[in-house]
């Protein structure tokens, strides 16, 4: 990657006054303010045994310019790409298979060797028989003070599966691959009759970064009340306070709140944007649902039934079977949301203010590849 002399002088001057860091030129938007990180991870459903020609993980970097063409193609060992996430603390991409293409009991951990340039490195497989039909991934970091000056951090990869289970893998960066024989699962938590469709972590107490709520979307919970979300508040208790129990019964891990979405079915992947105070969920009903003020929405006990504040759907949107959604949650530079569609094989980018039957700001297809889940890594002040 080449830098012009003028650009390096500008970047050097900016770094001296502490307001910018050196970035590759390809990451600079064609128009408007520089967006330091805007990387869209696309997990493709396509898979062929013994084929190296199908790259099933694309990284669009940057994703907030006037096209979605600047891509890095990666051949992931995943047998048909499903849920995908990236976490800068983990310095890794995690990609699972959804299980609809081939039998796959692995979650791939793909290291990001250089965060500034976003280039993935080697993949390491986290294997467990329960990793079939993964419906959502999340990365939980717990930090605690050790002595007067030190700190200790414990990381967990969480996976919700169609088998009504929640799995927790501690320190996933040290497991899988060549380690061999390492115990993969730390916790196997039964979700009872809840059939998961998504998984994400919500902000709890804003004064305590360790306080996270676990949100599990479901298509069924054993009742006739419909699709919705279950909010769990005992995550820290199970992962940190009681580390010895491997198998956790549903009677011990019960939701504090259930939120049913009235009249809506086919809930899928979600996007949580606390800065924008917005929560979105893709559905198989040719639309994406949006809820304002998610903190209020998912606070409380018992049960509640809600309607979306608005939707994006209709003939002008071009949506046929939206599978993934990602909101750019940056306070200063977040302007777009992204939707993947497995039926029309498109990635559609909308403006954040778009509602209803509105045409996307732009769309992109990648040959005959079928985009499935997506994840947006958008940071205004990354620590490279």
């Amino acid at each position: 990657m080449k830098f012009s002399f003028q650009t390096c002088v500008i970047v050097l001057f900016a770094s001296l006054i502490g307001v910018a860091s050196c970035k590759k030129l390809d990451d600079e938007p064609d128009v408007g303010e520089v967006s330091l990180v805007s990387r869209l991870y696309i997990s493709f459903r396509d898979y062929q045994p013994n084929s190296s020609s199908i790259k099933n993980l694309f990284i669009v970097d940057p994703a907030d310019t006037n096209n979605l063409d600047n891509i890095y193609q990666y051949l992931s060992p995943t047998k048909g790409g499903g849920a995908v996430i990236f976490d800068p603390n983990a310095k890794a991409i995690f990609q699972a298979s959804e299980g609809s293409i081939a039998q796959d009991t692995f979650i791939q951990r793909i290291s990001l060797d250089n965060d500034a340039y976003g280039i993935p490195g080697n993949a390491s497989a986290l294997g467990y028989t329960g990793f079939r039909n993964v419906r959502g991934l999340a990365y939980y970091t717990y930090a605690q003070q050790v002595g007067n000056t030190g700190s200790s951090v414990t990381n967990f990869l969480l996976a919700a599966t169609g088998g009504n289970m929640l799995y927790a893998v501690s320190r996933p960066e040290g497991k899988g691959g060549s380690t061999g024989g390492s115990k993969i699962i730390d916790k196997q938590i039964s979700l009872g009759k809840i059939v998961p469709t998504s998984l994400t972590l919500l902000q709890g107490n804003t004064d305590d970064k360790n306080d996270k709520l676990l949100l599990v979307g479901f298509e069924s919970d054993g009742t006739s009340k419909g699709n919705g979300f279950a909010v769990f508040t005992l995550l820290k208790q199970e992962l940190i306070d009681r580390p010895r129990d491997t198998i956790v019964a549903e009677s011990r891990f019960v939701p504090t709140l259930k939120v049913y979405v009235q009249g809506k079915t086919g809930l899928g992947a979600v996007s949580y944007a606390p800065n924008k105070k917005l929560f979105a969920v893709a559905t198989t009903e040719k639309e994406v649902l949006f809820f304002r003020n998610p903190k209020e929405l998912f606070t409380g006990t018992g049960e509640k039934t809600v309607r979306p504040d608005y939707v994006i759907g209709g003939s002008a949107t071009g949506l046929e079977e939206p599978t993934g959604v990602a909101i750019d949650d940056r306070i200063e530079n977040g302007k777009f949301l992204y939707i993947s569609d497995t039926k029309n094989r498109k990635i559609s980018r909308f403006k954040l203010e778009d509602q209803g039957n509105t045409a996307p700001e732009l769309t992109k297809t990648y040959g005959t590849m079928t985009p499935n889940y997506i994840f947006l890594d958008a940071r205004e002040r990354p620590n490279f």
Side-chain angles (χ1 to χ4, degrees), residues 7 19 33 41 48 164 170 181-182 192 233 235 254 261-262 265 303 309 372:
T7 299
V19 296
E33 186 176 356
Y41 295 87
Q48 288 182 3
N164 305 51
S170 69
S182 298
T233 59
L235 187 62
V254 297
V261 183
Q262 186 173 356
T265 60
E303 298 178 357
D309 290 295
N372 199 3

Side-chain angles (χ1 to χ4, degrees), residues 173-204:
E173 63 278 3
K175 296 179 178 178
S178 61
T179 59
S182 298
K183 184 182 73 170
I184 296 295
I185 296 299
D186 291 88
K187 292 282 183 175
Q188 178 177 313
I189 302 173
S190 173
L191 297 175
K193 296 181 180 179
I194 290 177
V195 181
T197 57
S198 65
L199 177 69
T200 195
L201 295 175
L202 306 175
Q203 286 184 346

Side-chain angles (χ1 to χ4, degrees), residues 20 35 52 73 87 96 100 131 213 232 247 269 285 302 358 364 369:
S35 300
S52 60
Q73 303 179 34
D87 192 286
S100 64
F131 292 159
L213 305 179
F232 296 87
I247 300 176
E285 303 300 318
T358 304
K364 178 67 179 180
M369 298 288 286

Side-chain angles (χ1 to χ4, degrees), residues 75-255:
L75 176 61
S76 166
T78 302
K79 298 179 181 179
V84 63
I85 61 170
F86 168 79
D87 192 286
N89 295 310
K91 297 181 180 178
I93 306 159
F94 295 97
Q95 185 189 28
S97 169
E98 66 169 18
S100 64
I101 302 299
Q103 181 67 37
D104 195 357
T105 57
F106 293 92
I107 296 173
Q108 302 296 330
R109 177 190 177 273
I110 304 165
S111 63
L112 202 64
D113 294 337
N114 190 319
D115 191 16
Y117 292 91
I119 305 301
N122 295 327
S124 179
L126 301 172
Y128 188 71
T129 56
F131 292 159
R132 298 182 178 92
N133 304 318
V134 174
R135 292 293 176 256
L137 297 171
Y139 192 78
Y140 175 65
T141 299
Y142 180 82
Q144 57 186 338
Q145 190 72 23
V146 178
N148 295 325
T149 58
S151 63
S152 174
V153 177
T154 303
N155 304 314
F156 288 89
L157 176 66
L158 306 176
T161 72
N164 305 51
M165 299 298 297
L166 173 69
Y167 296 101
V169 180
S170 69
R171 298 181 176 88
E173 63 278 3
K175 296 179 178 178
S178 61
T179 59
S182 298
K183 184 182 73 170
I184 296 295
I185 296 299
D186 291 88
K187 292 282 183 175
Q188 178 177 313
I189 302 173
S190 173
L191 297 175
K193 296 181 180 179
I194 290 177
V195 181
T197 57
S198 65
L199 177 69
T200 195
L201 295 175
L202 306 175
Q203 286 184 346
N205 181 357
T206 54
D207 295 329
D208 182 3
K209 293 184 178 180
N210 288 323
D211 187 19
K212 299 290 184 181
L213 305 179
L214 183 76
L215 184 70
V216 178
F218 58 80
E219 64 183 41
S220 174
D221 66 344
T223 72
S224 58
K225 298 178 182 180
N227 291 204
F229 298 93
V231 183
F232 296 87
T233 59
L234 299 177
L235 187 62
K236 172 183 173 296
Q237 180 175 321
E238 289 302 337
L239 298 186
I240 304 299
D241 298 341
R242 288 199 289 220
R244 295 183 179 180
D245 300 329
T246 301
I247 300 176
V248 179
E250 62 174 292
S251 59
R252 200 171 79 188
F253 195 75
V254 297

